[in-house]
Amino acid sequence: MITQAFLRVESERLTTEAVYSEIVKAGDGFMYELKKGQVIRILDLAGNQAADTLLFDADFPEDHYSAIHTISAQQNIYITTGTVLRAESGTALATVVADTCGRHDTVGGSCSSQSNTVRYAHKKAYMHNCRDTFMLQLSKYKSSYAFSKRDLAPNINFFMNVPVTPDGGLTFADGVSAPGCYIELKAEKNIVILISNCPQLNNPCNAYNPTPIEVLIWNS
Ligand SMILES: [Zn+2]
C-alpha cells in the first residue's frame, strides 16, 4: 500500500524549553547521541532542503537504521507521524511524533561523488556530497565503537518528495516542504543520529540553493 495523502501533525513543544539547539549549515553534518525518551526536531528553516539522516543503536552501534524493515513493518514507503524507524535487527530506534511537512523519502538515498557523476555530469564528481559529509562526521565522532564506511546504510531523506510510480519508478519531484516545516523524532532507546544537510548544488528539489536546517532537542 502506498499512501498518497500528506499527514501533517504539529508539535506542542516550545522552543524555549529545548535543552539543545544548533544551526547546521548546508553542506555541514551533525552527529549526536540522544538518550531514550529525548525528542529531536529537524527544522527546515528556508524550505525544500534535504536532511539526509541515519540512526544507530547507541548501545549496539553496528545495528543501524533499516529502510527495508521500516517500510515493511509499516507497509508504507513514506515516513510521517506515527512511523517507527527500525534497525536491521527490527529494533524500534525512534518514532515520528510530529511532522508539518507530511512526507519524507526512504528510497532515494544520499548524494555521492558517484551519483553526481551519473546523474549530472562527470565534471561534477569532485563536488561536495552527503556521503562525504557522513564519512567526515563518522570519523570525528568520539565513541568506544569505531564507526567506518561499513556503517553507512541507505538513509532517510527528510523533506524530500520522491514519489514512486505504480510500476516502481522513482521521480524526484518538486519539494513539498516550506520555510519552518519540521519533523520530530522521539528516541525509543539510546540512539546516535547522523545528519548530512545536503550540499547538493545540482538538485532542483532545493532550487539549486541549499539552505541551513536547525536541530532542537527536548528531554521528553
Ligand atoms: Zn546530498
Side-chain angles (χ1 to χ4, degrees):
M1 181 189 73
I2 297 173
T3 302
Q4 297 297 339
F6 287 68
L7 177 63
R8 296 188 171 93
V9 176
E10 293 190 11
S11 168
E12 296 181 349
R13 290 177 183 81
L14 301 174
T15 55
T16 51
E17 294 178 356
V19 296
Y20 183 90
S21 69
E22 182 176 330
I23 303 283
V24 183
K25 290 185 287 191
D28 280 357
F30 175 82
M31 197 168 177
Y32 193 96
E33 183 173 335
L34 292 168
K35 298 299 179 191
K36 180 181 178 181
Q38 284 192 309
V39 172
I40 185 167
R41 177 184 297 178
I42 304 170
L43 173 61
D44 188 3
L45 287 168
N48 289 342
Q49 184 53 13
D52 294 36
T53 302
L54 278 168
L55 304 175
F56 302 86
D57 185 328
D59 301 315
F60 304 97
E62 63 270 37
D63 196 20
H64 52 66
Y65 167 75
S66 166
I68 298 299
H69 285 290
T70 299
I71 293 166
S72 60
Q74 71 168 2
Q75 294 290 292
N76 190 325
I77 59 169
Y78 302 118
I79 287 170
T80 188
T81 306
T83 296
V84 178
L85 301 173
R86 294 185 182 277
E88 288 291 341
S89 65
T91 300
L93 297 174
T95 300
V96 179
V97 292
D99 175 18
T100 64
C101 176
R103 175 177 286 182
H104 307 269
D105 165 60
T106 56
V107 294
S110 71
C111 64
S112 64
S113 174
Q114 292 84 352
S115 70
N116 284 343
T117 297
V118 170
R119 192 177 296 159
Y120 305 113
H122 186 55
K123 65 183 180 186
K124 309 284 189 181
Y126 73 92
M127 290 180 77
H128 189 172
N129 61 74
C130 285
R131 190 175 175 84
D132 288 349
T133 301
F134 279 151
M135 284 305 304
L136 180 62
Q137 292 294 312
L138 289 173
S139 67
K140 291 195 302 186
Y141 193 67
K142 298 284 183 287
S143 168
S144 57
Y145 177 76
F147 284 102
S148 73
K149 65 181 176 184
R150 73 180 174 182
D151 298 300
L152 289 183
N155 60 284
I156 301 162
N157 289 313
F158 286 126
F159 310 118
M160 274 195 73
N161 183 30
V162 184
V164 176
T165 64
D167 57 359
L170 285 187
T171 45
F172 288 80
D174 284 347
V176 291
S177 186
C181 281
Y182 59 80
I183 186 163
E184 285 185 1
L185 310 179
K186 180 181 182 185
E188 298 295 348
K189 61 188 310 306
N190 299 333
I191 61 171
V192 177
I193 184 166
L194 169 62
I195 299 174
S196 167
N197 190 24
C198 189
Q200 186 54 259
L201 291 166
N202 301 295
N203 194 335
C205 85
N206 59 14
Y208 312 102
N209 179 33
T211 49
I213 58 170
E214 184 174 9
V215 292
L216 299 111
I217 295 169
W218 287 262
N219 281 335
S220 64

